[in-house]
């Protein structure tokens, strides 16, 4: 059966397990842009380290800026995905 990521309602729900879908994408993404709502929220350093170890850089921003960054990176032809929490 396909992997199902748990519900993410806030930045507190972002962890290695909730980001598992992004590690399964083919072709592999190089950058994951995370929008954490109205403001930038800190994620657990271990979560960021685990993603880096999988070869995925993580950019954490407020959601409005995350959308702009995602669009910019797509226009550059980068392998990017976004996880966005509504503001």
């Amino acid at each position: 059966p396909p992997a199902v990521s748990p519900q993410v309602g806030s930045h507190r729900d972002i962890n290695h397990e909730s980001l598992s879908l992004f590690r399964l994408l083919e072709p592999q993404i190089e950058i994951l842009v995370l929008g954490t709502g109205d403001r930038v929220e800190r994620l657990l350093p271990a979560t960021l380290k685990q993603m880096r170890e999988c070869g995925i850089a993580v950019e954490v921003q407020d959601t409005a800026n995350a959308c702009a960054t995602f669009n910019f990176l797509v226009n550059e032809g980068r392998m990017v995905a976004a996880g966005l929490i509504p503001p």
Side-chain angles (χ1 to χ4, degrees):
V4 177
S5 292
Q7 288 286 94
V8 175
S10 82
H11 71 281
R12 291 176 209 82
D13 300 322
I14 298 173
N15 57 40
H16 190 67
E17 182 184 356
S18 68
L19 296 177
S20 63
L21 171 68
F22 296 107
R23 294 190 302 276
L24 298 173
L25 295 175
E26 288 292 334
Q28 180 177 339
I29 61 170
E30 54 184 303
I31 303 170
L32 172 59
V33 180
L34 292 176
T36 56
D38 288 322
R39 53 188 203 159
V40 179
E41 302 286 356
R42 288 181 48 86
L43 300 186
L44 294 173
T47 300
L48 300 175
K49 181 175 184 261
Q50 289 166 329
M51 293 300 283
R52 276 195 313 273
E53 289 171 352
C54 293
I56 300 172
V58 179
E59 182 68 37
V60 181
Q61 301 178 333
D62 63 85
T63 298
N65 283 311
C67 290
T69 298
F70 174 82
N71 289 333
F72 178 82
L73 292 169
V74 166
N75 284 333
E76 282 192 335
R78 306 291 293 272
M79 295 304 298
V80 61
L84 306 169
I85 297 173

